[in-house]
Amino acid sequence: MTTIESPFIRTIEWDMMDKTKFFPLSMLSSFSVRCCLYPLTVIKTRLQVQRHNHVYNGMVDACRKIYEAEGIAGLYRGFWISSVQIVSGVFYVSTYEGVRHMLGQNGIISNLDSRVKALIAGGAASLVGQTIVVPFDVLSQHLMVLGISNKKTNGYHVSKMIMNPLGLTLEPGKSRAQISADIIRSIYQRDGYRGFYRGYVASLCAYVPNSALWWGLYTSYQDELIRLFPEWVSHLFIQAVAGTLGGFTTTIITNPLDVVRARLQVQRLDSMFSAIKVLWMEERLQMFTKGLSARLVQSACFSFSIILGYETIKRFSITEEYKGYIRW
């Protein structure tokens, strides 16, 4: 059992929570956040896979043109496939909290700094989460760029922007399930089962460091902000701000890796090296900032919302004996 050394618990640990409350509330919170912020994911993906800036000249322009050409449905293309990530999110959170708990057990490793524990646990959680979610990520990204390759909208050719190697387009009357089935069949015919894990190594290279850095920086920023702010400031607010700052920092550092991952999963390139080479030939130094504005906005909104929901749920799930030691 965790011992309490001070009247104020900064981090609610795994063994302090009632899991029957934590898991359902965590899934509900994750779904709500993804539902609200999914259009930013679509915009980010479109910006990352376009050639230069032939069609979309930034995040706002992309949002306007997608809405004009495809309506609200265009901003939510692939959402139901992507929402499977909620399940992977349960494994992600369980791994993160479980690894942190194990690192905090008796022994030499228990003396690790809390930031190092968060960094290690964040990396391990992403490894588990990406192994589950990559096939659905591949499918959802094909859905995001599907169906607009032969259209003209407001005088521009979308075919210049989107790389749609499957050659599929939306056909009137087809349901989401039928469209998804067509994509699954096309991916399997071209690449077999390996096609569903295209970009897996790139995803690990992008998301494992991202997750590790984010949790480590979140803990660091939280500790610093607690020292800076007066005691009357809400601890939950401090945590949400720390999460946002951590998201900003990691997004700037890892953006090129995320662009490479998106290109590998949507294009049929042989390796990360090939993707980097193509990106450099097409974009030069702009490859480091491609889709960055959308990622920064997405990261800020996502980090703030996720931490606000996550830490609130942890407070609601805490067992009775610790309720008097938390600060809202």
Side-chain angles (χ1 to χ4, degrees):
M1 187 66 67
T2 303
T3 58
I4 300 173
E5 298 175 354
S6 70
F8 168 41
I9 299 175
R10 288 191 181 186
T11 303
I12 298 172
E13 301 292 350
W14 191 234
D15 60 342
M16 296 179 181
M17 293 184 290
D18 180 351
K19 311 306 185 296
T20 60
K21 292 181 182 178
F22 177 76
F23 284 121
L25 289 173
S26 179
M27 292 179 71
L28 179 62
S29 173
S30 179
F31 179 80
S32 300
V33 171
R34 290 182 186 281
C35 187
C36 293
L37 301 182
Y38 188 77
L40 288 172
T41 303
V42 174
I43 292 168
K44 179 202 72 171
T45 302
R46 295 279 184 95
L47 288 171
Q48 287 177 333
V49 301
Q50 73 172 342
R51 292 186 175 94
H52 306 293
N53 293 321
H54 284 160
V55 177
Y56 299 149
N57 189 22
M59 183 182 67
V60 176
D61 184 57
C63 182
R64 179 178 61 82
K65 287 179 177 176
I66 292 170
Y67 178 76
E68 289 176 355
E70 305 165 63
I72 291 293
L75 292 169
Y76 277 90
R77 196 173 302 286
F79 173 73
W80 293 109
I81 296 296
S82 179
S83 63
V84 175
Q85 292 184 22
I86 296 166
V87 177
S88 73
V90 173
F91 289 93
Y92 178 92
V93 170
S94 300
T95 303
Y96 172 74
E97 293 289 353
V99 171
R100 279 188 71 254
H101 179 69
M102 286 189 293
L103 292 175
Q105 296 298 299
N106 292 331
I108 297 174
I109 202 168
S110 65
N111 296 321
L112 282 175
D113 187 281
S114 60
R115 291 167 292 187
V116 178
K117 292 178 185 176
L119 188 144
I120 295 171
S126 183
L127 177 63
V128 172
Q130 286 304 305
T131 301
I132 297 169
V133 85
V134 161
F136 300 99
D137 207 18
V138 170
L139 180 55
S140 69
Q141 287 189 95
H142 276 291
L143 282 166
M144 287 178 201
V145 301
L146 178 66
I148 59 174
S149 59
N150 296 318
K151 291 185 179 180
K152 275 187 181 181
T153 306
N154 294 338
Y156 64 80
H157 285 271
V158 185
S159 58
K160 292 180 181 178
M161 174 205 65
I162 292 296
M163 301 168 192
N164 182 7
L166 297 180
L168 297 173
T169 55
L170 290 175
E171 296 178 19
K174 278 199 171 185
S175 66
R176 291 190 184 94
Q178 289 173 318
I179 295 167
S180 299
D182 287 344
I183 294 175
I184 292 170
R185 186 164 48 250
S186 296
I187 292 172
Y188 180 75
Q189 287 173 349
R190 286 171 179 258
D191 298 314
Y193 291 112
R194 292 180 60 186
F196 297 102
Y197 273 90
R198 181 171 291 277
Y200 174 64
V201 174
S203 291
L204 293 183
C205 290
Y207 287 129
V208 171
N210 188 294
S211 178
L213 281 172
W214 186 75
W215 283 109
L217 287 169
Y218 164 62
T219 304
S220 298
Y221 283 130
Q222 181 184 176
D223 291 343
E224 291 302 318
L225 290 173
I226 286 173
R227 280 194 283 270
L228 289 172
F229 283 102
E231 289 188 8
W232 55 264
V233 176
S234 166
H235 184 217
L236 187 60
F237 172 76
I238 289 174
Q239 288 176 316
V241 172
T244 305
L245 292 173
F248 257 101
T249 308
T250 54
T251 296
I252 292 169
I253 294 171
T254 63
N255 189 65
L257 290 171
D258 192 56
V259 177
V260 170
R261 175 199 60 81
R263 286 292 186 95
L264 269 173
Q265 290 180 338
V266 175
Q267 293 177 271
R268 301 181 71 250
L269 299 176
D270 297 328
S271 64
M272 285 183 65
F273 179 75
S274 299
I276 293 169
K277 185 178 178 181
V278 170
L279 268 171
W280 178 253
M281 290 175 64
E282 290 182 1
E283 310 291 342
R284 296 299 178 182
L285 292 176
Q286 289 185 2
M287 67 180 284
F288 294 100
T289 58
K290 197 166 187 64
L292 181 59
S293 59
R295 277 198 80 208
L296 284 172
V297 173
Q298 180 199 37
S299 176
C301 296
F302 187 80
S303 297
F304 185 90
S305 303
I306 282 292
I307 286 296
L308 189 65
Y310 177 65
E311 295 293 351
T312 299
I313 287 166
K314 288 177 78 172
R315 284 164 168 78
F316 277 120
S317 304
I318 199 167
T319 55
E320 289 293 331
E321 66 177 301
Y322 297 109
K323 283 189 175 178
Y325 298 94
I326 61 170
R327 193 177 92 191
W328 286 83

